[in-house]
Amino acid sequence: MRLITYTLILTFLITMTLSGQTKTVKTGVYFDTDKFDLRGEGKQTIDNTFDTLQNVVLTKIVLTGNTDNSADSLYNLKLSDNRVEAVNTYLLTKGINQSIISTDYFGEEKPKATNETGEGKQINRRVDILIFYKTEVIPKQTIAVDTIPKQILKTDTCKSDTTIILPEGTQVVFNRCEYFEIKECVEFTETNNPQAILVNGLSLMDTSGFPIASCGMLRVTLKPGCTNRECFKVPVKVRFPVPEDKECDYCGRDANLYDITNNGLWVQTPQSKKTEVKLVKVRGQMFYQFELFCPNGWNNCDCKIKWKKVKFKTKHSSRIITLKVTNDCPATVFEFKPKARKNIAIAKIPCRKGNKTVIATIVNSKGDTLILKQQLLNDLPKRTAFSKCEKIKGETIGKWLGVFPIAKRELYRKYIIKTNLLTKQE
């Protein structure tokens, strides 16, 4: 990698000796796998290049982001955009005017080397930097304070923003100066899908026991002992992407913020400290946006949804300890407790399309703890007649009620958890 860096700088020095009005130099910085933060050697490459440009006039800088092919193309496109933003941000800290910087990103579409080897992938994980400049220096005596060319003025970066894009699409927009002050101290925990919600030990039930659907969940944490700051100097904008599937756009303009209680349930954020959730469009994509004033707590964008009661039943001699139902459209995790009859749990679940799964812990008559691992809900034995949810048009389950075929539905009224589906907890 050092050889690549030295070669690029040598190319630049040769270019500097050529005559002409406008000249160019090209360099590049490289990134770790699935990362978009600048490495030390990348910053050094930029510093070394611009140190040789002290006595020229910069006219244009073009940044182009690229990745290897290690992930899917859409993810790589976002990753290359993030890499360009990282370089752009670093250039602004060096006093480069944003007006002369243009950016583009191509994901995995424009590799310089083969993606079949580790070395080739490293070369492809890059941002190319193309610098246009003029060698003529304006005589000092002709420069008045109010006529200094824009390109040699220091940029007031504290009036600009830095956008952090997390893996599941959440955007966190900081004041640029404040972010560089705390970037080593700040951590993000993003939970925009059922699996992430489960991993973080969360569910989506309000204090009345009703299910709510998540537009997005985020915890911003400042590491203890890293900074004395308790709140942000400039409010941080948080943006959760709106699902592109219209049937999953469940909250619309009804989204609100919720606070978590000590028992893990959610309550709507009090009006006294409420920040409005807005629908905004950024680069053609819709987001739920709100302002975050202080970190170190869960920020949950939710709305209430219509639901139906569903019964889960296991053997009479067994008892249900816990039962959770997840759905990815919208992102939900509902947790239910058993009723007086310990082998029955009543769940409130929305009649929405999506991949619904059920997870349960059951104790049998011998005292053994049995686990139902994430099982597709409609793969469980079920009562198929008289469900209150709408029929799926044109689909049946292959059974008949008299002379009438039974329509297929997203959700049924009763499910049976049979012993053969359970595994013993070791």
Side-chain angles (χ1 to χ4, degrees), residues 407-422:
K408 187 176 182 180
R409 303 173 189 264
E410 292 292 347
L411 191 67
Y412 298 92
R413 297 179 69 176
K414 183 178 179 180
Y415 292 90
I416 310 298
I417 302 175
K418 293 190 173 181
T419 306
N420 66 326
L421 298 172
L422 304 172

Side-chain angles (χ1 to χ4, degrees), residues 32-60:
D32 292 326
T33 303
D34 199 28
K35 301 291 184 183
F36 55 85
D37 51 320
L38 271 174
R39 302 189 304 203
E41 64 189 65
K43 293 179 181 179
Q44 191 62 55
T45 296
I46 294 173
D47 292 344
N48 291 343
T49 301
F50 282 88
D51 282 348
T52 61
L53 293 168
Q54 296 298 315
N55 296 315
V56 301
V57 178
L58 303 177
T59 58
K60 187 178 181 181

